[in-house]
Amino acid sequence: MNSWKGRMLLCAVFCTLQSSFFILPSQAQQVLTLDSCRALALRNNKQLNVARLKQEVAYNTRKAVRTKYLPKVDALAGYEHVSKEVSLLKSDQKEMLGNLGTVAGTKLSGNATQTIAALAQQGIVTPQEAQQLGGLLTQMMSPLVEKGNEIGQSLRDAFRTDTRNIWAGALMVRQPVYLGGAITAANRMADIGEEMAANDIDLRIQSTLHNIDQTYWTVVSLKQKQKLAQSYYDLVKKLDDDVHKMIDEGVATRADGLKVDVKVNEAEMQCTQVEDGVALAKMLLCQLCGIPVGADIVLADEENKEIAVVGAVNDNHETDTRPEVRMLQNAVDLSKEATKIVRAAYLPQVALTAGFLVANPNPFNGFEKEFAGAWNVGVIVRVPVWSWFEGRYKVRAAEAATNIALMEKTDVQEKIDLQVAQCKFQVSEANKRLLMAQKSIASAEENLRCANVGFSEGVIQAADVMAAQTAWQMAQSQKIDAEVEVRLSHINLQKALGVLR
C-alpha cells in the first residue's frame, strides 16, 4: 500500500515537472494584439519621439516670443584706462594759470616803472628817489607774485579731471511701444509653429499606425498561407502515399509516382518559403514595435480561420482634416505673418527708455574720485525716410512666397482628393474580389471532393487529382489575399481621409 502511494506521488511530481516544461516555452512567447502593437510603436518610434521634442521646442519658442511684449532690463559695468585724461583747458591756458602771479606782477611792475620814469623826466622826483621807489616796488611785488602763482596753480589743479582710470555702471530699461506690428506678427508665427509641430506629430502617428497595421495583417496573412501550405502538403503527401501503394499493386505506373513526388517537393518548398516569409515579417513587426528583432511573438489574429473584415468606413470626412493639409495651411499662415514682419521694418517705431548711470570720476561734481549717478528717461522714435523702395520690393517678394504656398496647398489638396477616390474604388474592388474568392472556394472544394472520390474508385487519374488540389490551393490563397486586401484597403482609405486612429 505504501509502495503504491509512493509510486502515485512520483507520478504526480513527474507530471507536474513535465507540465512546467511545456508551459515555459509558451510563457516565453509574447502574444500581441493589433492595439498592443500600435501602443508599442507609438511609444518606441524614434521619428515620433523626435516630433514630440520638436513640439517642445516650438512650445518654448512661443513662450520666449511672448516676452517681447515685456520691458527688458540690462545691467552694465566696466573699467577703462585711457592714456590721456580729459582736459577742460588748453595748454596755453594751463601755462598762464600756472604763472598767474608772475604775469600779473610783470604787467604791474612794468606800468609802475613807466610811471616813475615819467615822474623823473618831469622833475617831480629826483633820479635817486625814482630808484628808491623802484626798489621799494620790487620788494612789495615779490610776495604778491608768489601768491598769484599759488592761486593760479590751484585753479589749474581744480580744472584737472584725472579721467585716465574710469569706472562706470548703468541700469537700462527698454519698453517697446510700437514696432509696426512686428511683435504681434512674431507671436502669431510662434503660435502657428507650435500648431505645425502638433500637426507633424499627428502625421507621424498616422504614418506609424499605417505601417503597423499593414505589417500586422501581412504577418497574419502569411501565417494563414503557412497553414494553407501545410494543408496542401498533407494532401499531396497523402496522394503520394496512395499512388505508391497503387504502384506496388501494379495499378499505377512509375511515371505517376514521379509526378506526385515532384508535387510533394514543390509543396515542401512552398512550406519553407512561407515559413521564412513569416519569420521576416515578424522581424519587421518587432522592429516597428521597438522590441528585440529576435523576440518570439504570436499575433492574436494569426490563429483565426478567417481574417476579420472591418465594417464600412465613413467617407464623409473632409480631407482638410489630414495633417499634411493642415501643415500646408500653417505654411501659408506663416508666410502671411512673415510679410507683416517685413512691412513692419519700414514703419515708424517707438520705444521708451529709462536707466540709472554711475561713474567714477564723478562727472556731476567736478570729477571727484567718488561714485555718483543720475536717473534718465527718454523716448526713441525711428522713422524710415528713404530706402529706394527696398521695403516695397521685399513686401512684394514675401507676398509672392505666400501665393506659392497657397498654390502648393491647392495642388496637394487636389492630389489628396484623387487619392481618396482611388482608395474608395480599391475598397469596392477588394470587396468584390472577396465575394468571388469565396465562391471559388466552394467550387474548388467540390471539385477536390469529386476528384478524391473518383481517384479512390479508379475512374480518375492522379494528374487530375493533383490539378484539383492545385486549384483548391489557389482558391484558398486568393481568399486569404482578398481578405487582407479588404483590410488594407480600409486602412488606406482611413489614412487618405486623415481619420486613421
Side-chain angles (χ1 to χ4, degrees):
M1 187 69 179
N2 292 333
S3 62
W4 178 80
K5 289 182 178 180
R7 286 196 298 270
M8 290 297 294
L9 181 60
L10 289 175
C11 289
V13 172
F14 176 76
C15 291
T16 303
L17 292 174
Q18 187 177 17
S19 62
S20 65
F21 286 127
F22 283 112
I23 290 174
L24 284 174
S26 63
Q27 288 179 345
Q29 290 181 340
Q30 185 176 2
V31 180
L32 298 176
T33 62
L34 179 59
D35 292 336
S36 62
C37 289
R38 284 181 160 197
L40 288 171
L42 294 179
R43 185 171 65 248
N44 298 319
N45 186 273
K46 294 181 175 58
Q47 294 299 322
L48 187 57
N49 291 331
V50 169
R52 293 190 179 102
L53 292 176
K54 289 182 178 179
Q55 186 182 30
E56 184 178 354
V57 171
Y59 169 79
N60 289 291
T61 301
R62 179 179 62 82
K63 290 290 188 181
V65 176
R66 286 289 190 272
T67 61
K68 298 294 184 180
Y69 289 112
L70 304 176
K72 300 295 186 298
V73 180
D74 297 323
L76 300 176
Y79 164 78
E80 185 175 8
H81 176 76
V82 184
S83 61
K84 294 182 180 181
E85 66 180 30
V86 176
S87 178
L88 301 178
L89 299 175
K90 296 180 180 179
S91 298
D92 55 351
Q93 291 175 337
K94 292 180 181 178
E95 184 67 24
M96 184 185 68
L97 285 177
N99 299 309
L100 180 62
T102 303
V103 174
T106 302
K107 290 182 178 181
L108 289 176
S109 62
N111 293 333
T113 302
Q114 291 177 359
T115 303
I116 294 173
L119 292 175
Q121 290 176 358
Q122 294 175 5
I124 298 175
V125 293
T126 63
Q128 293 80 8
E129 292 176 344
Q131 187 177 4
Q132 292 177 358
L133 288 174
L136 181 62
L137 179 62
T138 300
Q139 292 178 0
M140 293 176 59
M141 290 298 297
S142 179
L144 293 177
V145 169
E146 294 178 359
K147 191 63 177 178
N149 288 338
E150 292 178 1
I151 294 174
Q153 187 63 39
S154 64
L155 289 175
R156 178 180 175 178
D157 295 339
F159 278 105
R160 184 182 178 185
T161 59
D162 194 13
T163 53
R164 289 174 299 175
N165 297 298
I166 301 174
W167 301 85
L171 186 68
M172 297 181 295
V173 180
R174 293 172 286 111
Q175 173 62 55
V177 178
Y178 176 73
L179 299 182
I183 296 180
T184 303
N187 277 272
R188 177 58 184 156
M189 290 181 69
D191 294 337
I192 296 172
E194 188 176 10
E195 184 180 349
M196 182 179 287
N199 291 332
D200 184 45
I201 289 178
D202 195 7
L203 173 62
R204 295 184 185 275
I205 286 176
Q206 292 199 17
S207 178
T208 302
L209 294 180
H210 183 258
N211 293 335
I212 281 292
D213 288 4
Q214 283 190 326
T215 307
Y216 182 90
W217 293 113
T218 299
V219 173
V220 172
S221 66
L222 289 174
K223 194 66 179 180
Q224 295 288 336
K225 288 190 175 183
Q226 185 180 18
K227 295 179 182 178
L228 175 61
Q230 185 63 42
S231 299
Y232 177 70
Y233 174 79
D234 294 340
L235 287 176
V236 177
K237 186 65 177 175
K238 183 177 182 302
L239 178 62
D240 182 62
D241 294 339
D242 294 339
V243 169
H244 279 82
K245 289 179 182 179
M246 294 174 67
I247 292 174
D248 295 338
E249 294 176 0
V251 180
T253 64
R254 182 65 178 171
D256 294 332
L258 293 175
K259 291 179 181 179
V260 178
D261 289 340
V262 171
K263 285 293 181 181
V264 171
N265 292 333
E266 291 179 353
E268 189 174 359
M269 179 60 66
Q270 288 181 3
C271 291
T272 302
Q273 291 176 345
V274 174
E275 184 178 356
D276 293 340
V278 171
L280 292 174
K282 284 189 175 182
M283 291 172 66
L284 176 59
L285 184 63
C286 290
Q287 190 271 331
L288 293 175
C289 292
I291 59 180
V293 176
D296 187 9
I297 61 173
V298 176
L299 304 187
D301 294 312
E302 68 180 30
E303 298 299 331
N304 296 341
K305 294 182 179 180
E306 295 184 356
I307 300 175
V309 180
V310 296
V313 178
N314 184 8
D315 55 3
N316 294 325
H317 294 276
E318 296 291 337
T319 53
D320 290 341
T321 58
R322 281 191 59 162
E324 296 96 328
V325 179
R326 297 200 303 269
M327 291 179 68
L328 288 173
Q329 183 60 47
N330 293 146
V332 173
D333 296 337
L334 281 174
S335 183
K336 291 180 180 178
E337 299 301 326
T339 303
K340 294 179 181 178
I341 291 179
V342 171
R343 184 180 291 111
Y346 299 92
L347 295 176
Q349 299 178 357
V350 181
L352 298 177
T353 62
F356 184 76
L357 173 67
V358 294
N360 184 0
N362 177 12
F364 308 107
N365 192 20
F367 293 94
E368 64 178 344
K369 290 292 186 178
E370 290 184 2
F371 281 98
W375 293 97
N376 61 84
V377 293
V379 178
I380 298 176
V381 179
R382 174 182 173 271
V383 181
V385 178
W386 184 253
S387 59
W388 298 101
F389 305 108
E390 178 186 9
R392 181 184 301 177
Y393 299 143
K394 287 187 176 181
V395 169
R396 288 178 180 176
E399 290 175 347
T402 302
N403 292 330
I404 292 174
L406 283 170
M407 291 180 183
E408 290 179 348
K409 179 197 171 187
T410 303
D411 181 58
V412 172
Q413 184 74 56
E414 293 174 354
K415 292 179 180 178
I416 288 176
D417 293 338
L418 178 60
Q419 183 184 18
V420 171
Q422 291 175 344
C423 290
K424 290 179 181 179
F425 282 119
Q426 289 175 0
V427 170
S428 177
E429 185 178 356
N431 289 325
K432 292 179 181 178
R433 286 185 181 179
L434 180 60
L435 292 176
M436 295 173 62
Q438 290 173 347
K439 293 179 181 179
S440 298
I441 284 180
S443 300
E445 288 178 348
E446 181 62 21
N447 183 33
L448 180 61
R449 186 188 68 79
C450 294
N452 288 328
V453 172
F455 179 75
S456 62
E457 294 178 358
V459 297
I460 292 180
Q461 296 181 357
D464 296 328
V465 176
M466 288 188 294
Q469 290 175 345
T470 303
W472 174 82
Q473 183 196 25
M474 291 182 60
Q476 292 286 348
S477 179
Q478 289 175 356
K479 173 179 173 291
I480 295 172
D481 292 338
E483 288 180 340
V484 174
E485 187 177 355
V486 169
R487 173 72 69 169
L488 296 182
S489 64
H490 279 75
I491 295 172
N492 293 332
L493 180 57
Q494 289 177 349
K495 187 176 186 298
L497 292 171
V499 296
L500 183 60
R501 294 291 186 274

